[in-house]
Structure formats: C-alpha cells, structure tokens
Coordinates of all heavy atoms in Angstrom, one line a residue:
K1 N 141.1 95.5 21.2 CA 142.0 96.5 21.6 C 141.8 96.8 23.1 O 140.6 96.9 23.6 CB 141.9 97.8 20.8 CG 142.8 98.9 21.3 CD 142.7 100.1 20.3 CE 143.4 101.2 21.0 NZ 144.4 101.9 20.5
D2 N 142.9 96.8 23.9 CA 142.8 97.1 25.3 C 142.4 98.5 25.6 O 142.7 99.4 24.8 CB 144.1 96.8 26.0 CG 144.4 95.3 26.1 OD1 143.4 94.5 26.1 OD2 145.6 94.9 26.0
P3 N 141.8 98.8 26.7 CA 141.4 100.1 27.1 C 142.7 101.0 27.4 O 143.7 100.4 27.6 CB 140.6 100.0 28.4 CG 140.8 98.6 28.9 CD 141.3 97.8 27.7
P4 N 142.5 102.3 27.4 CA 143.7 103.2 27.6 C 144.4 102.9 29.0 O 145.6 103.3 29.1 CB 143.1 104.6 27.6 CG 141.8 104.4 27.0 CD 141.3 103.0 27.2
C5 N 143.8 102.3 30.0 CA 144.4 102.1 31.2 C 145.5 101.0 31.2 O 146.3 100.9 32.1 CB 143.4 101.8 32.3 SG 142.5 100.3 32.0
V6 N 145.5 100.3 30.1 CA 146.5 99.2 30.0 C 147.7 99.7 29.2 O 147.6 100.2 28.1 CB 145.9 98.0 29.2 CG1 146.9 96.9 29.0 CG2 144.7 97.4 30.0
P7 N 148.9 99.8 29.9 CA 150.1 100.3 29.2 C 150.4 99.5 27.9 O 150.2 98.3 27.9 CB 151.2 100.2 30.2 CG 150.5 99.8 31.5 CD 149.2 99.3 31.2
S8 N 150.9 100.2 26.9 CA 151.3 99.5 25.7 C 152.7 98.8 25.9 O 152.9 97.7 25.3 CB 151.4 100.5 24.5 OG 152.4 101.5 24.8
S9 N 153.5 99.3 26.8 CA 154.8 98.6 27.1 C 154.7 98.3 28.6 O 154.6 99.2 29.4 CB 155.9 99.6 26.8 OG 157.1 99.0 27.2
I10 N 154.8 97.0 28.9 CA 154.6 96.6 30.3 C 155.9 96.0 30.9 O 156.5 95.1 30.2 CB 153.5 95.6 30.5 CG1 152.2 96.3 30.0 CG2 153.3 95.1 31.9 CD1 151.0 95.3 29.8
S11 N 156.3 96.4 32.1 CA 157.5 95.8 32.7 C 157.0 95.3 34.1 O 156.1 95.8 34.7 CB 158.6 96.7 32.8 OG 158.4 97.7 33.8
Y12 N 157.7 94.3 34.6 CA 157.4 93.8 35.9 C 157.6 94.9 37.0 O 156.6 95.2 37.7 CB 158.4 92.6 36.3 CG 158.3 92.3 37.8 CD1 157.2 91.5 38.2 CD2 159.2 92.8 38.7 CE1 157.1 91.2 39.6 CE2 159.1 92.5 40.0 CZ 158.0 91.7 40.5 OH 157.9 91.4 41.8
Q13 N 158.7 95.6 37.0 CA 159.0 96.6 38.0 C 158.0 97.7 38.0 O 157.5 98.1 39.1 CB 160.4 97.1 37.9 CG 160.9 97.8 39.1 CD 161.1 96.9 40.3 OE1 161.5 95.7 40.2 NE2 160.8 97.4 41.5
K14 N 157.7 98.3 36.9 CA 156.9 99.5 36.7 C 155.4 99.2 36.8 O 154.7 99.9 37.5 CB 157.2 100.2 35.4 CG 156.4 101.4 35.1 CD 156.8 102.1 33.9 CE 156.7 101.3 32.6 NZ 155.4 101.3 32.0
D15 N 154.9 98.1 36.2 CA 153.5 97.8 36.1 C 153.0 96.6 36.9 O 151.9 96.7 37.4 CB 153.2 97.6 34.6 CG 153.6 98.8 33.8 OD1 153.1 99.9 34.0 OD2 154.5 98.6 32.9
I16 N 153.7 95.6 36.9 CA 153.2 94.3 37.5 C 153.4 94.3 39.0 O 152.5 93.9 39.7 CB 153.9 93.1 36.8 CG1 153.6 93.1 35.3 CG2 153.4 91.8 37.5 CD1 152.1 93.2 34.9
K17 N 154.6 94.7 39.5 CA 154.9 94.6 40.9 C 153.8 95.4 41.7 O 153.4 94.9 42.8 CB 156.3 95.1 41.2 CG 156.7 94.8 42.6 CD 158.2 95.1 42.8 CE 158.6 94.7 44.2 NZ 160.0 94.9 44.4
P18 N 153.4 96.6 41.3 CA 152.3 97.3 42.0 C 151.0 96.5 42.1 O 150.3 96.5 43.1 CB 152.2 98.6 41.3 CG 153.5 98.8 40.6 CD 154.0 97.5 40.2
I19 N 150.7 95.8 41.0 CA 149.5 95.0 41.1 C 149.7 93.8 42.0 O 148.7 93.5 42.8 CB 149.1 94.4 39.6 CG1 148.8 95.6 38.7 CG2 148.0 93.4 39.7 CD1 148.7 95.2 37.2
I20 N 150.8 93.2 42.0 CA 151.1 92.1 43.0 C 151.0 92.6 44.4 O 150.4 92.0 45.3 CB 152.5 91.5 42.7 CG1 152.6 90.9 41.3 CG2 153.0 90.5 43.7 CD1 151.7 89.7 41.0
T21 N 151.6 93.8 44.6 CA 151.7 94.3 46.0 C 150.2 94.6 46.5 O 149.9 94.3 47.6 CB 152.5 95.7 46.0 OG1 153.8 95.4 45.6 CG2 152.5 96.3 47.4
A22 N 149.4 95.1 45.6 CA 148.0 95.4 46.0 C 147.1 94.2 46.1 O 146.2 94.2 46.9 CB 147.4 96.4 45.0
N23 N 147.4 93.2 45.3 CA 146.4 92.1 45.2 C 146.9 90.7 45.6 O 146.1 89.9 46.0 CB 145.9 92.0 43.8 CG 145.1 93.2 43.4 OD1 144.0 93.4 43.7 ND2 145.8 94.1 42.6
C24 N 148.2 90.5 45.6 CA 148.7 89.1 45.7 C 149.6 88.9 46.9 O 149.8 87.8 47.4 CB 149.5 88.7 44.4 SG 148.5 89.0 42.9
A25 N 150.2 90.0 47.3 CA 151.2 89.9 48.5 C 150.6 90.7 49.6 O 151.2 91.6 50.2 CB 152.5 90.5 48.0
T26 N 149.4 90.4 49.9 CA 148.6 91.1 51.0 C 148.9 90.6 52.4 O 149.7 89.7 52.5 CB 147.1 91.0 50.7 OG1 146.8 89.7 50.8 CG2 146.8 91.5 49.3
G27 N 148.3 91.1 53.3 CA 148.5 90.7 54.7 C 148.1 89.2 54.9 O 148.4 88.7 56.0
L28 N 147.5 88.6 54.0 CA 147.2 87.2 54.1 C 148.4 86.3 53.9 O 148.4 85.1 54.2 CB 146.1 86.8 53.0 CG 144.8 87.5 53.1 CD1 143.9 87.1 51.9 CD2 144.1 87.2 54.4
G29 N 149.5 86.9 53.5 CA 150.8 86.2 53.4 C 150.9 85.4 52.2 O 151.7 84.5 52.1
C30 N 150.0 85.6 51.2 CA 149.9 84.7 50.1 C 151.2 84.7 49.2 O 151.8 83.6 49.1 CB 148.8 85.1 49.2 SG 147.2 84.9 50.1
H31 N 151.6 85.8 48.7 CA 152.8 85.8 47.8 C 153.8 86.9 48.1 O 154.4 87.4 47.2 CB 152.3 85.9 46.3 CG 151.5 84.7 45.9 ND1 152.1 83.5 45.7 CD2 150.2 84.6 45.6 CE1 151.2 82.7 45.3 NE2 150.0 83.3 45.2
G32 N 153.9 87.2 49.4 CA 154.9 88.2 49.8 C 156.2 87.6 50.2 O 156.4 86.4 50.0
A33 N 157.1 88.4 50.8 CA 158.4 87.9 51.2 C 158.2 86.8 52.2 O 157.5 86.8 53.1 CB 159.2 89.1 51.8
G34 N 159.0 85.7 51.9 CA 159.0 84.6 52.8 C 157.9 83.6 52.6 O 157.8 82.6 53.3
S35 N 157.0 83.9 51.7 CA 155.9 83.0 51.4 C 156.3 81.7 50.8 O 157.1 81.6 49.9 CB 154.9 83.6 50.5 OG 153.8 82.7 50.1
T36 N 155.7 80.6 51.3 CA 156.0 79.3 50.7 C 155.2 79.1 49.4 O 155.4 78.1 48.7 CB 155.6 78.1 51.7 OG1 154.2 78.3 52.1 CG2 156.5 78.2 53.0
N37 N 154.3 80.0 49.2 CA 153.5 80.0 47.9 C 154.2 80.7 46.8 O 153.6 80.7 45.7 CB 152.1 80.6 48.1 CG 151.3 79.9 49.2 OD1 151.2 78.7 49.2 ND2 150.7 80.7 50.0
G38 N 155.4 81.2 47.0 CA 156.1 82.0 46.0 C 156.1 83.4 46.4 O 155.0 84.0 46.6
N39 N 157.2 84.0 46.4 CA 157.4 85.4 46.7 C 157.3 86.2 45.4 O 158.3 86.3 44.7 CB 158.7 85.7 47.5 CG 159.0 87.1 47.7 OD1 158.2 88.0 47.4 ND2 160.2 87.4 48.2
F40 N 156.2 86.7 45.1 CA 156.0 87.4 43.8 C 156.5 88.9 43.9 O 156.4 89.6 42.9 CB 154.6 87.3 43.3 CG 154.2 85.9 42.9 CD1 152.9 85.6 42.6 CD2 155.1 84.9 42.8 CE1 152.5 84.3 42.3 CE2 154.8 83.6 42.5 CZ 153.4 83.3 42.2
Y41 N 157.0 89.3 45.0 CA 157.8 90.6 45.0 C 159.1 90.3 44.3 O 159.8 91.3 43.9 CB 158.2 91.0 46.5 CG 157.1 91.6 47.3 CD1 157.0 91.2 48.6 CD2 156.2 92.5 46.8 CE1 156.0 91.8 49.4 CE2 155.2 93.0 47.5 CZ 155.1 92.7 48.9 OH 154.1 93.2 49.6
N42 N 159.5 89.1 44.1 CA 160.7 88.7 43.4 C 160.3 88.3 42.0 O 159.6 87.3 41.8 CB 161.3 87.5 44.2 CG 162.6 87.0 43.6 OD1 162.6 86.5 42.5 ND2 163.7 87.1 44.3
Y43 N 160.9 89.0 41.0 CA 160.6 88.7 39.6 C 160.9 87.2 39.3 O 160.1 86.6 38.6 CB 161.3 89.6 38.7 CG 161.2 89.2 37.3 CD1 160.1 89.4 36.5 CD2 162.3 88.5 36.6 CE1 159.9 89.0 35.2 CE2 162.1 88.0 35.3 CZ 161.0 88.3 34.6 OH 160.9 87.8 33.3
D44 N 162.0 86.7 39.7 CA 162.4 85.4 39.3 C 161.4 84.3 39.8 O 161.1 83.4 39.0 CB 163.8 85.0 39.8 CG 164.9 85.9 39.1 OD1 164.7 86.3 38.0 OD2 165.9 86.1 39.8
Q45 N 160.8 84.5 41.0 CA 159.9 83.6 41.4 C 158.5 83.7 40.7 O 157.9 82.7 40.4 CB 159.7 83.7 43.0 CG 160.9 83.2 43.7 CD 160.6 83.2 45.2 OE1 159.5 82.9 45.7 NE2 161.7 83.4 46.0
L46 N 158.1 84.9 40.4 CA 156.9 85.0 39.6 C 157.1 84.5 38.2 O 156.3 83.8 37.6 CB 156.5 86.5 39.5 CG 155.2 86.8 38.7 CD1 154.0 86.0 39.1 CD2 154.9 88.3 38.8
N47 N 158.3 84.8 37.6 CA 158.6 84.3 36.3 C 158.6 82.8 36.2 O 158.1 82.2 35.3 CB 159.9 84.9 35.8 CG 160.2 84.5 34.3 OD1 159.3 84.8 33.5 ND2 161.3 84.0 34.0
A48 N 159.1 82.1 37.3 CA 159.1 80.7 37.4 C 157.6 80.2 37.4 O 157.3 79.2 36.7 CB 159.8 80.2 38.6
A49 N 156.7 80.8 38.1 CA 155.3 80.4 38.1 C 154.7 80.7 36.7 O 153.8 79.9 36.3 CB 154.5 81.2 39.1
C50 N 155.2 81.6 36.0 CA 154.7 81.9 34.6 C 155.2 80.7 33.7 O 154.4 80.2 32.9 CB 155.2 83.2 34.0 SG 154.3 84.6 34.8
L51 N 156.5 80.4 33.8 CA 157.1 79.4 33.0 C 156.5 78.0 33.2 O 156.3 77.2 32.2 CB 158.6 79.4 33.1 CG 159.3 80.6 32.6 CD1 160.8 80.5 33.1 CD2 159.2 80.7 31.1
D52 N 156.1 77.7 34.4 CA 155.6 76.3 34.7 C 154.1 76.2 34.5 O 153.5 75.2 34.7 CB 156.0 75.8 36.1 CG 155.3 76.4 37.2 OD1 154.3 77.1 37.1 OD2 155.8 76.1 38.4
G53 N 153.5 77.3 34.1 CA 152.0 77.3 33.9 C 151.1 77.6 35.1 O 149.9 77.8 34.9
T54 N 151.7 77.7 36.3 CA 150.9 77.9 37.5 C 150.2 79.2 37.4 O 149.0 79.3 37.7 CB 151.8 77.8 38.7 OG1 152.5 76.6 38.7 CG2 151.0 78.0 40.0
F55 N 150.9 80.3 37.1 CA 150.3 81.6 37.0 C 149.1 81.7 36.1 O 148.0 82.1 36.4 CB 151.4 82.7 36.7 CG 150.9 84.1 36.8 CD1 150.9 84.7 38.0 CD2 150.5 84.8 35.6 CE1 150.4 86.1 38.1 CE2 150.1 86.1 35.7 CZ 150.0 86.7 36.9
N56 N 149.3 81.2 34.9 CA 148.3 81.1 33.9 C 147.1 80.4 34.4 O 145.9 80.8 34.3 CB 148.8 80.5 32.6 CG 147.8 80.5 31.5 OD1 147.2 81.6 31.1 ND2 147.5 79.4 30.9
K57 N 147.3 79.2 34.9 CA 146.2 78.4 35.4 C 145.4 79.1 36.5 O 144.2 79.1 36.5 CB 146.8 77.1 35.9 CG 145.7 76.1 36.5 CD 146.4 74.9 37.0 CE 145.4 74.1 37.9 NZ 146.0 73.6 39.1
E58 N 146.1 79.6 37.5 CA 145.5 80.2 38.7 C 144.8 81.5 38.4 O 143.7 81.8 38.9 CB 146.5 80.3 39.8 CG 147.1 79.0 40.3 CD 146.1 78.2 41.1 OE1 145.1 78.7 41.6 OE2 146.4 77.0 41.2
V59 N 145.4 82.3 37.6 CA 144.9 83.7 37.4 C 144.0 83.8 36.2 O 142.9 84.4 36.3 CB 146.1 84.7 37.2 CG1 145.5 86.1 36.9 CG2 146.9 84.7 38.5
F60 N 144.3 83.1 35.1 CA 143.5 83.3 33.9 C 142.6 82.2 33.5 O 141.5 82.4 33.0 CB 144.5 83.5 32.7 CG 145.4 84.7 32.9 CD1 146.8 84.5 32.8 CD2 144.9 85.9 33.2 CE1 147.6 85.6 33.0 CE2 145.8 87.0 33.4 CZ 147.1 86.8 33.3
I61 N 142.9 81.0 33.9 CA 142.0 79.8 33.5 C 141.0 79.6 34.6 O 139.8 79.6 34.4 CB 142.9 78.6 33.2 CG1 143.7 78.8 32.0 CG2 141.9 77.4 33.0 CD1 144.7 77.7 31.7
E62 N 141.5 79.3 35.8 CA 140.6 79.0 36.9 C 140.1 80.3 37.6 O 139.1 80.2 38.3 CB 141.3 78.1 38.0 CG 141.6 76.8 37.4 CD 142.3 75.8 38.4 OE1 142.6 76.3 39.5 OE2 142.5 74.7 38.1
K63 N 140.8 81.4 37.4 CA 140.4 82.7 38.0 C 140.2 82.6 39.5 O 139.3 83.2 40.1 CB 139.2 83.3 37.3 CG 139.4 83.5 35.8 CD 138.3 84.2 35.2 CE 138.8 84.6 33.8 NZ 137.9 84.5 32.7
G64 N 141.1 81.8 40.1 CA 141.0 81.6 41.6 C 141.9 82.6 42.4 O 141.9 82.6 43.6
M65 N 142.6 83.4 41.6 CA 143.5 84.4 42.3 C 143.1 85.7 41.8 O 142.9 86.0 40.7 CB 145.0 84.1 41.9 CG 145.5 82.8 42.5 SD 145.6 82.8 44.2 CE 145.2 81.1 44.6
P66 N 143.1 86.7 42.8 CA 143.3 86.5 44.2 C 142.1 85.8 44.8 O 141.0 85.9 44.3 CB 143.4 87.9 44.7 CG 142.7 88.8 43.7 CD 142.8 88.1 42.4
P67 N 142.3 85.1 45.9 CA 141.2 84.3 46.6 C 140.2 85.2 47.2 O 139.0 84.7 47.4 CB 142.0 83.4 47.6 CG 143.2 84.2 47.9 CD 143.6 84.9 46.6
V68 N 140.5 86.4 47.6 CA 139.6 87.3 48.2 C 139.5 88.6 47.3 O 140.5 89.2 46.9 CB 140.1 87.8 49.6 CG1 139.1 88.8 50.2 CG2 140.2 86.5 50.5
G69 N 138.3 88.9 46.9 CA 138.1 90.0 46.0 C 138.4 89.6 44.6 O 138.7 88.5 44.3
T70 N 138.5 90.6 43.7 CA 138.8 90.4 42.3 C 139.8 91.5 41.8 O 139.8 92.5 42.4 CB 137.6 90.4 41.4 OG1 136.9 91.6 41.5 CG2 136.6 89.3 41.8
L71 N 140.5 91.1 40.8 CA 141.3 92.2 40.1 C 140.4 93.1 39.3 O 139.4 92.6 38.7 CB 142.3 91.5 39.1 CG 143.3 90.6 39.7 CD1 144.0 89.8 38.6 CD2 144.4 91.5 40.5
D72 N 140.7 94.4 39.3 CA 139.9 95.2 38.5 C 140.3 94.9 37.0 O 141.3 94.3 36.7 CB 140.0 96.7 38.8 CG 141.3 97.4 38.5 OD1 141.9 97.1 37.4 OD2 141.7 98.3 39.2
S73 N 139.4 95.3 36.1 CA 139.6 94.9 34.7 C 141.0 95.4 34.1 O 141.6 94.7 33.4 CB 138.5 95.4 33.8 OG 138.3 96.8 33.9
C74 N 141.4 96.6 34.5 CA 142.6 97.2 34.0 C 143.8 96.4 34.5 O 144.7 96.1 33.8 CB 142.8 98.6 34.4 SG 141.7 99.7 33.4
D75 N 143.8 96.0 35.8 CA 144.9 95.2 36.4 C 144.9 93.8 35.7 O 146.0 93.3 35.3 CB 144.7 95.0 37.9 CG 145.1 96.3 38.6 OD1 145.7 97.2 38.0 OD2 144.8 96.4 39.8
Y76 N 143.7 93.2 35.5 CA 143.6 91.9 34.9 C 144.2 91.9 33.5 O 145.0 91.1 33.1 CB 142.2 91.4 34.9 CG 142.0 90.1 34.2 CD1 142.1 88.9 34.9 CD2 141.7 90.0 32.9 CE1 142.0 87.7 34.3 CE2 141.5 88.8 32.2 CZ 141.7 87.6 33.0 OH 141.5 86.4 32.4
L77 N 143.8 92.9 32.7 CA 144.2 93.0 31.3 C 145.7 93.4 31.2 O 146.4 92.9 30.3 CB 143.4 94.1 30.6 CG 141.9 93.7 30.3 CD1 141.1 94.9 29.8 CD2 141.8 92.5 29.4
T78 N 146.2 94.2 32.2 CA 147.6 94.5 32.2 C 148.4 93.2 32.5 O 149.4 92.9 31.8 CB 148.0 95.5 33.3 OG1 147.3 96.7 32.9 CG2 149.4 95.8 33.4
L79 N 148.0 92.4 33.5 CA 148.7 91.1 33.8 C 148.6 90.2 32.5 O 149.6 89.5 32.2 CB 148.0 90.4 34.9 CG 148.3 91.0 36.3 CD1 147.4 90.3 37.4 CD2 149.8 90.8 36.7
R80 N 147.5 90.2 31.9 CA 147.3 89.3 30.7 C 148.2 89.7 29.6 O 148.8 88.8 29.0 CB 145.8 89.4 30.3 CG 145.4 88.4 29.2 CD 145.3 87.1 29.8 NE 144.7 86.2 28.9 CZ 144.6 84.9 29.1 NH1 145.2 84.3 30.1 NH2 144.1 84.1 28.2
R81 N 148.3 91.0 29.3 CA 149.2 91.4 28.2 C 150.6 91.1 28.6 O 151.4 90.6 27.7 CB 149.0 92.9 28.0 CG 150.0 93.4 26.9 CD 149.8 94.9 26.6 NE 148.7 95.0 25.6 CZ 148.3 96.2 25.2 NH1 148.9 97.3 25.7 NH2 147.3 96.3 24.3
W82 N 151.0 91.4 29.8 CA 152.4 91.1 30.3 C 152.7 89.6 30.1 O 153.7 89.2 29.5 CB 152.6 91.6 31.7 CG 153.8 91.2 32.3 CD1 155.1 91.8 32.1 CD2 154.1 90.2 33.3 NE1 156.0 91.2 32.9 CE2 155.5 90.2 33.6 CE3 153.3 89.2 33.9 CZ2 156.0 89.4 34.6 CZ3 153.9 88.4 34.9 CH2 155.2 88.5 35.2
Y83 N 151.8 88.8 30.6 CA 152.0 87.3 30.5 C 152.1 86.9 29.0 O 153.0 86.2 28.6 CB 150.8 86.6 31.2 CG 151.0 85.1 31.1 CD1 151.8 84.4 32.0 CD2 150.3 84.4 30.1 CE1 151.9 83.1 32.0 CE2 150.5 83.0 30.0 CZ 151.3 82.3 31.0 OH 151.4 81.0 30.9
N84 N 151.1 87.3 28.2 CA 151.1 86.9 26.8 C 152.2 87.4 26.0 O 152.6 86.8 25.0 CB 149.8 87.4 26.1 CG 148.6 86.6 26.6 OD1 148.7 85.5 27.2 ND2 147.4 87.1 26.4
N85 N 152.8 88.5 26.4 CA 154.0 89.1 25.7 C 155.3 88.7 26.2 O 156.3 89.2 25.8 CB 153.9 90.7 25.7 CG 152.8 91.2 24.8 OD1 152.2 90.5 24.0 ND2 152.4 92.4 25.0
G86 N 155.3 87.6 27.0 CA 156.6 87.0 27.4 C 157.0 87.3 28.9 O 158.1 86.9 29.3
H87 N 156.2 88.0 29.6 CA 156.4 88.2 31.1 C 157.8 88.7 31.4 O 158.5 88.1 32.2 CB 155.9 87.1 32.0 CG 156.2 85.7 31.5 ND1 157.4 85.1 31.7 CD2 155.5 84.9 30.7 CE1 157.4 83.9 31.2 NE2 156.3 83.7 30.6
Y88 N 158.2 89.8 30.7 CA 159.6 90.3 30.9 C 159.7 91.2 32.2 O 158.7 91.7 32.7 CB 160.0 91.1 29.7 CG 160.1 90.3 28.5 CD1 159.2 90.4 27.4 CD2 161.1 89.3 28.3 CE1 159.2 89.6 26.3 CE2 161.2 88.5 27.2 CZ 160.2 88.7 26.2 OH 160.3 87.9 25.1
N89 N 160.9 91.3 32.7 CA 161.2 92.1 33.9 C 161.2 93.5 33.6 O 161.5 94.1 32.7 CB 162.6 91.7 34.4 CG 162.8 92.2 35.8 OD1 162.0 92.9 36.4 ND2 163.9 91.8 36.4

C-alpha cells in the first residue's frame, strides 16, 4: 500500500504536471517547452514517451531521470501509480 502522500486518483494536470515542472522541466532545458527531448509540459508528448516505453525505462528501470538530484519517494510513487494505471490526462 502506498503512503498517504500518494493520491488515490491521479491525473496529469493535477498531480503529474507539478512533479514534471519541479523535476523534469527545470532550467537545464530537459523537458520544458521547446525541448528536443520532449516537452513534458504537454501531456501528449509525455504520454507518447509512456507508450513507447521511454518513460518507463528512464525513470523506473534505469532510474536515470532526473539526471541531477532524485525524486522524493512520494513523487516517485505518484509517477509510478499514474504510469501503471494507464497514464491518463
């Protein structure tokens, strides 16, 4: 069972986008607007990375994202639940 900090119902706009903003679309230009690595402010681009397996590989398997720092456990588990439950908008 996930800790109380992980929402039971997760949406991109309400729960995932703030995590992306804080950890993935930083000043490094990684996944923000105009990024060639994918603009994860845009649900469709993040969803495409989920569908092709890139997101799963980079975040959950290789744990290489974010490249600087780490996700706190609640953010990680929230992303994981969202991904595993179909990564809906």
Side-chain angles (χ1 to χ4, degrees):
K1 181 173 163 120
D2 288 329
C5 63
V6 177
S8 58
S9 175
I10 300 170
S11 74
Y12 169 79
Q13 195 65 37
K14 179 175 61 81
D15 304 296
I16 302 305
K17 192 171 184 179
I19 296 170
I20 297 297
T21 299
N23 297 282
C24 311
T26 63
L28 300 174
C30 297
H31 295 291
S35 172
T36 58
N37 299 318
N39 173 6
F40 292 171
Y41 284 140
N42 179 299
Y43 169 77
D44 291 333
Q45 289 190 33
L46 178 55
N47 189 48
C50 289
L51 292 172
D52 74 10
T54 304
F55 186 81
N56 183 54
K57 178 182 167 223
E58 297 290 340
V59 177
F60 304 123
I61 296 172
E62 294 180 356
K63 296 185 173 141
M65 294 293 147
V68 177
T70 58
L71 293 168
D72 76 35
S73 60
C74 288
D75 287 348
Y76 179 86
L77 292 170
T78 299
L79 285 171
R80 187 75 167 167
R81 177 179 277 177
W82 174 76
Y83 180 84
N84 289 341
N85 289 344
H87 41 87
Y88 297 110
N89 193 354

